[in-house]
Amino acid sequence: MYIPKKHEPVRIGFYICHCGVNIASMVDVKEVAKYVGTLPNVVVSRDYKYMCSDPGQEMIQQDIIENRLNRVVVAACSPMLHEQTFRKATEKAGINPFFFQMVNIREHDAWVHTDRLEATRKAMALARAAIQRVPLHKPLEVKKVAVHPNVLIVGGGIAGIHAALVLANAGKRVYLVERDPTIGGHMAKFDKTFPTLDCAMCVLSPKMAAVGSHPNITLWTYSEVAKVDGYVGNYKVVVRRKPRYVLEDLCTGCQECVEACVYKEPKFRDEFNLGLGKRKPIRLPFPQAIPPVTLIDPETCIELKSGKCKKTCLEACGDRKAIDFKQQEELREILVGTIIVATGYQIFDAKRTPYYGYGVYPNVYNALEVERLINASGPTNGELVMRNGQVPKKVAVIHCVGSRDENTNRWCSRVCCLYSLKLAHLIHERTNAEIVNFYIDMRTPGKGMEEFYNRLSEEGMMLVRGKVADVYPDPTDGTTGRLIVQAEDTLMSRILKIPVDMVVLSVGLEPHPDSDKIRRLFNMSCSSEGWFLERHPKLAPVSTFTDGIFLAGCCQGPKDIPDSVAQAGAAAAECFSLIDKGHIEQEPNTAFVVEKECSGCKSCIPLCPYTAISLLEDKKKAYINEALCKGCGTCVASCPSGSIVQNLFEDAEVFSEIEGLLAPVPV
Amino acid sequence: MPKPKIGIYWCASCGGCEEAVVDLAEDILGVVEKVDIMFWPCAMDFKKADVEAMPDKSLVATLLNGAIRSSEQEEMAHMLRRKSKYMIAYGSCACTGGIPALANQFPREQILRYVYEESPTTVNEAKTRPQLKFAEAGREVTLPELRNVVRSLDQVVDVDYYIPGCPPTPKITKAAIGALLEGRMPPKGSVLSPDVALCEECSRRDSKPTNVAFTEFKRTHQKHLDPQLCFLAQGVICMGAATRQGCGAQCPSGNMPCTGCFGGTDRVKDQGAKALSSFCANIAAKEADEIDQTLKGIPDPVGTFYRYGLAKSLLRRKAGLPMSNGK
């Protein structure tokens, strides 16, 4: 490795990229090259159409050898894109890669200006800033940090399940943490799936069972991540396991305890069936729940509330001794190298669109409730019977409830058009009811989706293009709860008032109300809507801005099952990529405390977002754990005695850069 | 062999630095034994013309205290620079501008108007101001001009060493003179006090909690100060962490927080900015209005964080005011 000797003169090569016309159309690259050529220490200064191309990189390498360059500055696009390219190119020619400096004159200049002269001046100033900085650069080394091979997956919906199986099948140890008592997520509640109309549980339950029995998967349901510390490759995670009052390793899932409960009949709101059915205090959420372990609700269980129950459940459990009324919350600490966040979504609360009468008129349902009503394992065993005991003869399906709406959520929830068609088909199939779909636009992208739409529209359902304005009781009807749906048919330009027995609201998808808490926990970013933000919308769709933390499924934005599964596979692949490489290369822009200069004032310690700083108790000096440091610079800026130095951002380098930036330019 | 000669001179300062030399007490005898004090207008009768008559570099050192704010001080600084082998900035004002440099927050005209016309104790109905020249009966007398900007000594002449403090303590003064006489001088430009922040030598350091998380700031007269606990833990601004040591933590020992007179460490370009960035980062509140509420406890941030260093700071002068000498 070439390391310039202290007194060896600095020899800089400067290269400015046209980026086709991206830069050259707004910046006079020839003028900039000519100007930089006149600056001190600059030995060669060239412009080239595509610096990132092989010939572009070779030009740098050749100059390094022929002109004995020991510093390289490239003015081109964002370092996010090509810093690594040029670092590697300079390294190949025998120079420490940190003697290279990149100047962003595309995103920071050409793309954001309209005055060519001003943009050229700015490019000159930015280039000179780098030219004044690189002589002070020091050779640095990339450090390697081992990646812990275990993976944490947060969320046991289809995305989390799929990712867990992909990883576990390849021999990786997976911790799957789910907030609810069972995995399965929303998909476990669906009846059939579009566009194939295959039964959701038929395809999901084998995967759930596989997770439950997989030797490489530690499944923690009814649990939440409480704390995340550490960094890529070495995350220390604390998981809070809520008490089920039934011991997982002893329960066989026989449900004799449920039978034996002192409540002879189910009496309480059944969460899994969205309150359409009833359950007992001790219950299994649904027949195929994984793990097949019952749990007791402390809010309704007599024993847990008052300690005065006959405890018939305990008797029924007998020698299995699985019921433990004294079970406490547990905190488990695990070490993982990578994390997949697959926390899903919630459905839009239709009460926020009061003109549709949800929660007021009993015959208005949201789509997920209808999924449960037509599901064979649902509260009505698959028969579509309304709250009044009747089978509907005419049903309205209202699209875009809480989607594409200025007053609620602006985004398109992507799945509603298709699930609305699916529900229309299924309701018709079960009840022979007449169905009217009210839609704004019919959006059916994706494989087989348009064909699905065409097939279903030929079944004779009525499709009305128009937004429903109001749902109100039919004044001519006394007892059955018949409703009038009022909408403008925008294709026929007329107002429709259609009497129906049942209204289905196709509610949109929205982020969990606690998504901000989850975001902070994992140090991720959110879009303005609250969906977790991917690192790059096209090229890093499952990565986050925190290394080693990936996204899968609807927590990143509304998507259908195939896309969730695809994303889960991609997130698993990203984990593999880190685990199988075995180490991560750490950017050497870390900070360090100059021990003899530190006064031990401790100002820096609480400020570090990565808890990388501690006080050496014997010496009373601050110390930065290099492996934890992410190079954010907070401690450097706040050290009141200037005793913390950051590699690549030393004070002298930064001041020299600022001076270069502010000096006048010739044009 | 003749004894080495030194000079001591006083520019824009309060006189405390002169007092600090006297504070050497009987040790001054040791100094006088080894050197001839050739020029010390405050204490000895030796005229400017006498020094001017001496060959250049005939003084081994001049200890010059005070900032430079008048044409006369400028002239004396240049003259003493010529006559001295080493020019030593003695005390905060010479080193970094000191208290007089707080005047850089205001235009010269505003200062003159206040002092000669508006201050509550001034009676000057004719609004008479000092003139640079005044002639009467064929004789002309002159006064030095007040410059636009208050400067540290090294903003006017080349300075070899800095002895910081308001005033410098006898201990570092003695050590500096000792080093000078024995020819053990560090590299040119050095500040002659240890380059580590004060906390290290402060007896209260270990009582500072790791996370001070300021919820309010109090000034020293607003509360009873605990004699042992770190001032920051009491919500009182102490500049110790941003100030170089060498004073022996005298103020904290006297139950007063450090006000920063020794200046920042060599690594720091702007002591005030460093202190600000450290304190502000440690404010507990996260919302803008709550932060503002906390910061109300610091009514004079420049006077708090730049009390001794405004002239040498990156701020230097209130924005928009003239930087020239104002001739």
Side-chain angles (χ1 to χ4, degrees):
Chain A
M1 178 65 55
Y2 166 80
I3 296 171
K5 287 169 197 73
K6 233 181 176 170
H7 303 294
E8 195 171 333
V10 170
R11 297 175 67 83
I12 307 173
F14 175 76
Y15 304 87
I16 182 164
C17 180
H18 298 212
C19 194
V21 294
N22 272 311
I23 293 170
S25 65
M26 190 47 65
V27 172
D28 189 338
V29 290
K30 299 245 179 256
E31 269 306 306
V32 178
K34 212 164 89 189
Y35 164 64
V36 174
T38 65
L39 295 176
N41 301 322
V42 177
V43 179
V44 287
S45 179
R46 304 184 200 277
D47 65 285
Y48 189 69
K49 197 150 190 188
Y50 291 107
M51 280 312 300
C52 61
S53 66
D54 278 356
Q57 295 181 49
E58 278 157 22
M59 180 164 79
I60 299 176
Q61 291 165 340
Q62 206 171 342
D63 279 348
I64 289 174
I65 294 159
E66 287 175 8
N67 293 299
R68 290 175 290 114
L69 300 181
N70 49 29
R71 301 288 192 285
V72 174
V73 175
V74 175
C77 55
S78 162
M80 289 274 280
L81 295 170
H82 276 304
E83 189 171 54
Q84 290 306 330
T85 311
F86 294 117
R87 274 188 187 168
K88 277 189 189 132
T90 44
E91 190 172 22
K92 253 190 179 164
I95 298 188
N96 184 288
F98 298 94
F99 285 133
F100 159 77
Q101 176 74 12
M102 187 139 187
V103 183
N104 183 352
I105 55 161
R106 198 178 71 174
E107 286 84 342
H108 284 182
D109 188 4
W111 279 358
V112 290
H113 293 296
T114 50
D115 182 325
R116 192 170 151 88
L117 180 66
E118 285 301 322
T120 303
R121 291 162 59 92
K122 184 169 170 182
M124 288 174 172
L126 289 167
R128 193 189 35 223
I131 297 294
Q132 286 200 200
R133 158 192 245 282
V134 283
L136 301 168
H137 277 208
K138 291 176 182 156
L140 297 170
E141 243 180 81
V142 173
K143 291 238 161 57
K144 288 180 179 178
V145 181
V147 172
H148 197 286
N150 294 358
V151 185
L152 167 69
I153 298 177
V154 188
I158 181 57
I161 289 173
H162 183 75
L165 287 173
V166 169
L167 287 157
N169 286 341
K172 309 299 175 208
R173 172 110 227 126
V174 175
Y175 295 94
L176 180 58
V177 174
E178 165 60 47
R179 172 148 67 179
D180 283 341
T182 172
I183 56 169
H186 279 98
M187 189 178 171
K189 294 183 174 153
F190 299 159
D191 183 46
K192 288 182 176 169
T193 59
F194 62 78
T196 46
L197 293 178
D198 52 344
C199 150
M201 273 313 281
C202 303
V203 290
L204 180 62
S205 61
K207 294 187 81 125
M208 287 169 63
V211 166
S213 61
H214 206 295
N216 289 337
I217 299 178
T218 303
L219 174 60
W220 284 341
T221 55
Y222 213 45
S223 303
E224 282 180 45
V225 174
K227 197 166 169 240
V228 181
D229 279 329
Y231 53 96
V232 54
N234 294 278
Y235 285 109
K236 200 196 284 175
V237 182
V238 177
V239 178
R240 182 185 298 119
R241 304 214 60 200
K242 294 175 275 188
R244 301 174 85 99
Y245 306 103
V246 176
L247 303 175
E248 270 178 60
D249 32 358
L250 299 179
C251 175
T252 60
C254 68
Q255 298 185 62
E256 281 174 31
C257 53
V258 181
E259 280 296 309
C261 178
V262 290
Y263 285 101
K264 288 291 165 244
E265 290 303 320
K267 204 180 154 196
F268 304 100
R269 187 179 188 274
D270 175 4
E271 296 85 357
F272 188 79
N273 283 317
L274 298 107
L276 295 168
K278 301 279 187 219
R279 62 154 174 83
K280 296 182 179 180
I282 188 160
R283 83 284 188 187
L284 193 65
F286 67 102
Q288 299 105 314
I290 297 289
V293 175
T294 55
L295 76 159
I296 303 175
D297 170 20
E299 299 295 315
T300 52
C301 169
I302 296 173
E303 177 62 19
L304 285 170
K305 267 168 56 186
S306 65
K308 288 178 186 156
C309 184
K310 284 191 281 179
K311 291 179 271 193
T312 43
C313 55
L314 205 68
E315 242 168 70
C317 193
D319 289 344
R320 284 167 290 213
K321 294 197 174 106
I323 296 176
D324 175 9
F325 288 109
K326 295 207 165 57
Q327 196 181 22
Q328 295 289 317
E329 177 180 288
E330 268 181 69
L331 292 177
R332 298 283 190 87
E333 195 178 286
I334 52 172
L335 268 178
V336 295
T338 48
I339 298 174
I340 297 175
V341 177
T343 49
Y345 64 95
Q346 70 170 12
I347 56 168
F348 173 78
D349 178 5
K351 284 186 186 143
R352 285 169 60 200
T353 49
Y355 31 93
Y356 295 149
Y358 180 81
V360 178
Y361 310 128
N363 294 355
V364 179
Y365 291 83
N366 74 36
L368 196 57
E369 289 168 337
V370 178
E371 295 278 1
R372 293 313 299 155
L373 285 178
I374 58 177
N375 191 305
S377 69
T380 55
N381 297 320
E383 276 184 55
L384 183 58
V385 183
M386 296 189 298
R387 289 185 177 97
N388 61 9
Q390 290 180 355
V391 176
K393 294 192 186 68
K394 190 158 181 175
V395 178
V397 181
I398 303 178
H399 294 219
C400 295
V401 178
S403 299
R404 305 181 67 199
D405 179 1
E406 296 278 313
N407 300 316
T408 56
N409 296 329
R410 285 164 182 265
W411 59 87
C412 167
S413 294
R414 241 189 85 178
V415 292
C416 321
C417 280
L418 288 150
Y419 84 57
S420 299
L421 291 169
K422 174 197 77 176
L423 286 176
H425 167 84
L426 294 173
I427 295 168
H428 178 71
E429 188 183 74
R430 305 282 160 90
T431 60
N432 214 19
E434 196 184 330
I435 316 282
V436 192
N437 270 282
F438 294 91
Y439 66 97
I440 306 177
D441 294 296
M442 190 60 77
R443 295 188 167 176
T444 60
K447 195 172 171 184
M449 303 301 183
E450 183 69 8
E451 294 89 326
F452 177 68
Y453 164 48
N454 285 333
R455 183 153 65 88
L456 264 54
S457 57
E458 280 162 18
E459 286 178 358
M461 70 176 70
M462 196 173 151
L463 291 162
V464 177
R465 184 176 185 277
K467 197 166 175 176
V468 173
D470 204 2
V471 173
Y472 54 91
D474 183 350
T476 65
D477 172 80
T479 51
T480 61
R482 197 156 60 181
L483 299 160
I484 305 283
V485 175
Q486 184 177 323
E488 186 192 356
D489 182 338
T490 55
L491 297 178
M492 307 287 280
S493 291
R494 60 178 182 179
I495 303 292
L496 296 178
K497 290 181 182 174
I498 300 179
V500 296
D501 301 312
M502 178 184 195
V503 171
V504 179
L505 303 179
S506 296
V507 287
L509 279 51
E510 62 182 20
H512 277 298
D514 61 351
S515 62
D516 198 55
K517 205 181 102 199
I518 303 171
R519 176 185 78 76
R520 282 169 201 273
L521 200 57
F522 295 99
N523 198 19
M524 300 184 292
S525 305
C526 274
S527 67
S528 56
E529 299 90 13
W531 303 111
F532 299 144
L533 203 60
E534 63 282 358
R535 181 176 280 194
H536 190 282
K538 297 176 188 73
L539 302 178
V542 299
S543 304
T544 65
F545 287 95
T546 305
D547 293 335
I549 297 187
F550 304 102
L551 299 170
C554 286
C555 63
Q556 181 258 347
K559 53 181 66 66
D560 60 10
I561 295 167
D563 282 5
S564 290
V565 171
Q567 217 182 19
E574 295 284 356
C575 294
F576 280 130
S577 166
L578 284 171
I579 298 168
D580 287 1
K581 190 176 180 191
H583 65 264
I584 46 146
E585 275 159 12
Q586 203 174 30
E587 201 42 23
N589 62 351
T590 48
F592 58 92
V593 177
V594 182
E595 203 175 289
K596 69 174 173 39
E597 296 175 352
C598 172
S599 75
C601 77
K602 298 181 272 200
S603 303
C604 54
I605 296 172
L607 301 178
C608 177
Y610 308 98
T611 54
I613 314 180
S614 52
L615 188 77
L616 298 174
E617 280 302 332
D618 49 340
K619 297 178 182 159
K620 301 279 179 204
K621 305 273 184 184
Y623 167 77
I624 297 174
N625 180 341
E626 199 185 350
L628 290 175
C629 173
K630 299 292 246 171
C632 71
T634 305
C635 59
V636 184
S638 72
C639 174
S641 65
S643 306
I644 306 182
V645 180
Q646 184 175 5
N647 288 325
L648 276 180
F649 294 94
E650 294 188 19
D651 279 2
E653 292 168 348
V654 175
F655 278 116
S656 184
E657 194 172 10
I658 293 171
E659 279 161 17
L661 191 72
L662 297 180
V665 287
V667 294
Chain B
M1 198 178 132
K3 285 195 279 185
K5 300 178 177 65
I6 66 163
I8 298 174
Y9 193 69
W10 172 358
C11 290
S13 63
C14 64
C17 288
E18 310 278 331
E19 202 58 52
V21 178
V22 178
D23 256 0
L24 289 172
E26 51 269 36
D27 285 338
I28 201 160
L29 300 173
V31 174
V32 174
E33 204 172 89
K34 292 192 185 114
V35 299
D36 276 337
I37 301 177
M38 294 300 291
F39 186 54
W40 188 8
C42 175
M44 295 162 57
D45 187 14
F46 200 84
K47 302 291 188 223
K48 178 188 169 201
D50 301 331
V51 185
E52 270 179 329
M54 289 166 64
D56 285 357
K57 307 278 178 218
S58 38
L59 298 175
V60 65
T62 293
L63 274 64
L64 190 146
N65 70 73
I68 309 296
R69 73 182 312 183
S70 75
S71 54
E72 181 213 21
Q73 289 157 357
E74 211 175 281
E75 185 188 325
M76 286 304 288
H78 282 292
M79 190 269 283
L80 288 167
R81 171 70 271 190
R82 277 199 308 277
K83 301 298 168 193
S84 315
K85 198 169 156 215
Y86 296 119
M87 176 58 105
I88 299 176
Y90 188 75
S92 304
C93 301
C95 289
T96 55
I99 301 274
L102 288 171
N104 283 352
Q105 295 175 86
F106 311 100
R108 176 175 59 179
E109 171 54 27
Q110 187 187 334
I111 294 169
L112 290 173
R113 195 171 58 234
Y114 183 82
V115 171
Y116 289 102
E117 297 169 24
E118 294 173 349
S119 88
T121 54
T122 302
V123 179
N124 181 9
E125 273 158 24
K127 296 191 190 306
T128 310
R129 296 260 190 105
Q131 302 299 306
L132 296 184
K133 279 183 188 150
F134 179 73
E136 199 183 55
R139 287 193 308 170
E140 187 182 77
V141 288
T142 59
L143 275 178
E145 185 198 36
L146 194 65
R147 297 303 198 199
N148 256 324
V149 190
V150 181
R151 286 168 294 166
S152 61
L153 182 59
D154 62 1
Q155 286 169 339
V156 179
V157 298
D158 192 32
V159 168
D160 296 288
Y161 298 105
Y162 301 83
I163 301 177
C166 185
T169 57
K171 190 177 138 207
I172 65 162
T173 304
K174 226 162 55 187
I177 293 174
L180 185 72
L181 294 176
E182 289 160 30
R184 296 183 278 108
M185 293 306 275
K188 187 181 165 178
S190 295
V191 179
L192 304 180
S193 86
D195 195 15
V196 179
L198 181 66
C199 295
E200 196 191 48
E201 61 178 11
C202 177
S203 64
R204 301 181 187 227
R205 177 179 69 174
D206 295 344
S207 70
K208 186 191 174 195
T210 302
N211 191 355
V212 289
F214 298 111
T215 52
E216 58 169 10
F217 290 111
K218 288 280 184 207
R219 295 157 76 194
T220 48
H221 61 280
Q222 290 172 319
K223 70 186 293 177
H224 279 288
L225 297 173
D226 184 297
Q228 260 105 41
L229 183 61
C230 171
F231 292 104
L232 299 180
Q234 306 183 52
V236 173
I237 291 289
C238 173
M239 289 285 284
T243 304
R244 65 194 301 149
Q245 59 181 242
C247 60
Q250 286 184 346
C251 294
S253 310
N255 208 16
M256 272 296 168
C258 170
T259 55
C261 71
F262 268 52
T265 62
D266 281 347
R267 283 94 60 193
V268 170
K269 252 194 200 259
D270 190 312
Q271 180 192 19
K274 265 298 191 191
L276 263 171
S277 105
S278 174
F279 290 132
C280 292
N282 276 300
I283 287 176
K286 297 285 173 243
E287 301 301 325
D289 48 341
E290 292 169 25
I291 293 171
D292 286 347
Q293 193 54 42
T294 309
L295 288 178
K296 278 195 181 140
I298 309 174
D300 177 14
V302 176
T304 307
F305 300 111
Y306 291 92
R307 186 172 299 175
Y308 306 94
L310 190 59
K312 276 280 274 188
S313 72
L314 295 171
L315 299 178
R316 195 163 171 193
R317 180 91 164 109
K318 187 180 180 185
L321 296 182
M323 289 294 289
S324 71
N325 284 344
K327 280 172 189 162

